[in-house]
Every structure is written in C-alpha cells, then in structure tokens.
Amino acid sequence: MSGVAREVTLRTNSALPDSWARRRVEALLRPAGVAVGGYAPHDIDVHNAAFFRRVLAGGSLAFGETYVDGWWDARQLDDCLSRLLAAELDMKVEILSARVRREFVARLRNAQAGLRRMRVAEVHYDLGNDLYAAMLGARLVYSCGYWAQAETLDDAQLAKLDLIARKLDLQPGMRVLDVGCGWGEALKYFAVRYGITGVGVTISRQQAEYGEQICKGLPVTIKLCDYREVGAKFDRVFSIGMFEHVGYRNYAEYFATVRDRLEPDGLLLLHSIGSNVSTHRTDPWIERYIFPNSMLPSATQITHAFEGRFVLEDWHSFGPDYDRTLRAWRANIEEAWSCLPARYDERFRRMWRYYLSASMAAFRVRQAQLWQLVLSPNGVPGGYRSVR
C-alpha cells in the first residue's frame, strides 16, 4: 500500500478537511492521467465537494456510489475507469480494515449456499425482460459475443452460438443440458439449427417464463430450478455466463455434478469470465448493486476443481471481445432509455451506466478475461481438434 493510501486509512470521513481531501484525491488520480475539472474526456467534473472526503473514507465502493448519486461525471466514463484500474487506484483507496473484513467474511461463509444463491436472480436477472430486450439485441443472450469476423452485436452473438455448437460437435438427436440457460436463446437456436433435444435450468423466474414461450413447440424444456436438481444423462453440457455465480467453495461440486450428468463420451463447454488472480470475493460496488454473491474464478481455481474429474481438451481466451460487446450493449440501452418504463429512473440509469462502463474497463485493461473451456470425462479418443 502506498504512503498516501496508508495515510487515508487512518482518517475518518468527518476528520478530513475539504482542501486536504481534494489534494489527496488529485494526487491519487494524477498517476492515472485523470484530473479534476480538466479538459480531457476522461477527466472528472465534481458537483459536490463532499465527494473527496467520501471517496477517501469509502474507497472504490464510495467512488461508484458517488457517481450514482450524481456527485461527479466524466464525458468518457469507460475511459476514465480504464485509466483508474490500470493505475490500480481501486486498491490504493480501499480501506485496509474493510478489505480484511470482506476477505474474512468471504472465507467464513458460503455466499452461494442456501437461499443466498437465489439473490442474484432477484436483484439482477428478474429486473425486467423489457430492460434486457432493449439492451441485448435481437437475441436475449447476456454474455460475450464472438467478434472474430462479426461487425454487429447480433452477428457476434450468432457467431458465439455457432462457435459453441462446433466446439461441442452438436449432432441431430443429441440430448443437451444448458446449465444457467438464461432466456433460452441458445437451446432454441441449437434445436432449430442443429436438431438437438435440450433441457435448460435457471433460477430466474422471468427468464424461465420467457424461455418457455420462445421454445414452445421445440424439443426443449426450461426448468426453474438449481442445476443440481437435474437427474438425467446428457450427451453434451454447456454453461454460458453462469459459473461466475457458483463461488469458489462450490466449484468442485459443480464439476462433480456435471460429470455425473454426462455420458462417458460426452463433452462440457464452460464459458466464463475469469480473473488473473485467485480471490474469494468480488468488487464491493458490483457485489452491492449488480451481482450479489458473485465472484470471478481464476485459472488455478478452475483447474484445481476439475482435476481428477475431467480432461482439458481446449482453452480459448477472447476477453477483448467483451469490451466490444459491452460497448454495443451500452449504446443500445442509452438509445432506449426514453422508451423504458419510469421505474428505470435517472438513478438506475446512472447505476447501469457505471456497471457497463466499469465492466468495459476491466476487460480493456485485461484485469478480466473471457474463457471457453472444452472438457471431457475420459479424454477424446485420438484427441480433440480445437475450433476457432
């Protein structure tokens, strides 16, 4: 921890004079190339002088909260946050005692066990299908698109689904399980395009209802339940953007459960955001306002959990594609705000803008990754041929 950050942790919000607090925040921002009241698009304009004391006392959590409160702005918020993350400002202003406490709590309890595992559906995925329809494009696919040859968001999502189908070598008549199926778009596409029979599970009521509607008449069943409650056998299993909610205490159980659901010659595709380092908690602002009880797995945590259960056939990393996907989502939602219901008020709009911009920043500076793993229970005879 730097000398400035160490000094910050010794003070309380009420003890900080406004002038002292402003100088300290400006000193912290300077190495990131961000100024207060500057002319660059990534500089911040402060509307409430209490911002400086609150950020020094509350760290990265307060930085996000004060943006939502309207205390500051940046014309290019994603660029501002990218610079701050690259300079590791989130670590330099986080209060040491708060960091230790959050780490202790994360290690002490299983945040994804019992009723706690349902909270992310209540807080995030059940916000409203109207919000996600406005943001996600032609298909409600809430995960990274594949932009290798795509020019539009819809093309990138279609390319991602086809990439998954080719990696799994989907064939007509295969029984396929989607763990965390979202709104059912992937299973619908695979049933129509590849002739599979599918089962999708989600803990979001609104996702399940939507998935049932769009898959009506297809050999696809959408279940509102935990993935551990599915008892059948499948030729293929895939999971897109769900593993981030499993939690490090439950990774081994996840892989053991999926292996039990797979036929001996089956394949699992895991599509997940990943972290460069092993942690036991997520960003405090994201935890409180966007994805409660979530965390990003590291490569070490993933491989340790499937060791002895699966053979790693392929590991594909394309994290920069998520920055582009998020930019497309933000453009969609900003254009649609005036048409959305009044419950998505200005405060919600600022919260959502901060969420998308902070996520862009994490992928842009390569602190967050996007991985697709292909795993087999016993190893593919003769070897697996990687698909890109």
Side-chain angles (χ1 to χ4, degrees):
M1 182 181 293
S2 70
V4 171
R6 189 178 301 112
E7 185 176 4
V8 166
T9 65
L10 297 179
R11 296 175 178 262
T12 65
N13 191 30
S14 60
L16 296 175
D18 287 344
S19 59
W20 186 93
R22 177 170 183 137
R23 289 197 303 272
R24 289 298 177 264
V25 169
E26 289 177 334
L28 286 165
L29 294 176
R30 196 170 297 122
V34 175
V36 176
Y39 297 102
H42 56 262
D43 290 337
I44 66 173
D45 295 315
V46 175
H47 313 305
N48 187 328
F51 161 82
F52 302 104
R53 287 181 284 114
R54 186 169 167 188
V55 167
L56 289 177
S60 61
L61 174 60
F63 194 75
E65 289 179 332
T66 51
Y67 179 83
V68 177
D69 289 342
W71 288 18
W72 65 274
D73 279 294
R75 280 171 288 163
Q76 290 186 0
L77 181 59
D78 53 313
D79 192 9
C80 173
L81 296 176
S82 296
R83 290 168 177 268
L84 300 183
L85 283 182
E88 298 184 338
L89 262 292
D90 56 325
M91 296 297 293
K92 292 178 182 178
V93 300
E94 186 175 15
I95 299 173
L96 180 59
S97 60
R99 187 187 313 169
V100 171
R101 182 173 62 254
R102 290 196 302 114
E103 182 71 16
F104 176 76
V105 171
R107 289 177 177 271
L108 185 65
R109 71 168 186 167
N110 188 341
Q112 296 78 24
L115 294 177
R116 287 191 292 270
R117 75 179 187 275
M118 308 297 293
R119 181 160 170 73
V120 70
E122 299 166 358
V123 169
H124 192 80
Y125 294 110
D126 284 339
L127 278 170
N129 289 343
D130 50 1
L131 175 73
Y132 293 109
M135 184 174 78
L136 299 180
R139 292 182 174 85
L140 270 68
V141 179
Y142 196 9
S143 55
C144 181
Y146 189 53
W147 294 86
Q149 298 180 8
E151 295 297 329
T152 69
L153 173 64
D154 293 339
D155 288 345
Q157 294 295 10
L158 181 62
K160 188 262 300 295
L161 295 179
D162 271 325
L163 178 69
I164 290 171
R166 289 183 291 120
K167 286 183 176 182
L168 290 173
D169 190 23
L170 295 183
Q171 301 295 328
M174 281 185 171
R175 284 182 49 78
V176 178
L177 173 64
D178 183 350
V179 178
C181 66
W183 290 273
E185 296 278 7
L187 282 176
K188 175 188 175 182
Y189 181 74
F190 295 154
V192 172
R193 176 68 176 80
Y194 293 92
I196 61 93
T197 297
V199 174
V201 295
T202 176
I203 60 172
S204 164
R205 187 171 300 279
Q206 291 202 29
Q207 287 184 340
E209 291 173 354
Y210 183 92
E212 289 175 355
Q213 293 174 9
I214 68 168
C215 293
K216 190 173 182 179
L218 296 172
V220 172
T221 301
I222 305 295
K223 296 185 176 183
L224 182 64
C225 68
D226 187 275
Y227 72 95
R228 287 162 286 199
E229 298 172 18
V230 178
K233 288 281 189 179
F234 298 88
D235 302 297
R236 301 288 189 266
V237 176
F238 67 91
S239 184
I240 306 174
M242 174 268 185
F243 197 69
E244 299 90 331
H245 304 301
V246 171
Y248 78 102
R249 287 177 176 268
N250 308 304
Y251 291 158
E253 181 185 21
Y254 172 92
F255 286 111
T257 300
V258 171
R259 172 164 178 142
D260 188 57
R261 302 300 179 265
L262 264 177
E263 297 288 356
D265 60 349
L267 290 175
L268 162 66
L269 183 138
L270 179 67
H271 174 117
S272 177
I273 301 172
S275 171
N276 294 334
V277 295
S278 297
T279 65
H280 305 93
R281 54 190 174 86
T282 193
D283 173 83
W285 188 88
I286 292 291
E287 161 73 22
R288 179 171 294 184
Y289 294 100
I290 306 297
F291 294 118
N293 301 327
S294 65
M295 61 164 287
L296 301 184
S298 69
T300 297
Q301 289 170 327
I302 293 174
T303 55
H304 179 73
F306 73 66
E307 183 177 340
R309 296 183 173 94
F310 282 98
V311 174
L312 175 63
E313 303 288 358
D314 188 50
W315 193 308
H316 185 186
S317 177
F318 51 101
D321 284 26
Y322 224 142
D323 180 14
R324 192 169 178 182
T325 302
L326 285 154
R327 279 184 278 140
W329 288 348
R330 188 180 64 177
N332 283 348
I333 200 69
E334 291 287 352
E335 183 178 355
W337 279 118
S338 62
C339 302
L340 290 173
R343 69 178 182 274
Y344 304 118
D345 59 13
E346 181 60 23
R347 183 178 176 81
F348 182 92
R349 181 179 185 176
R350 292 182 68 86
M351 179 189 77
W352 208 252
R353 183 186 293 144
Y354 191 87
Y355 151 53
L356 294 176
S357 298
S359 299
M360 287 181 225
F363 286 101
R364 193 171 301 168
V365 304
R366 304 305 307 278
Q367 284 190 9
Q369 311 301 328
L370 190 285
W371 297 323
Q372 282 189 356
L373 284 67
V374 178
L375 307 168
S376 66
N378 303 301
V380 174
Y384 176 85
R385 185 171 182 176
S386 297
V387 175
R388 297 291 184 266

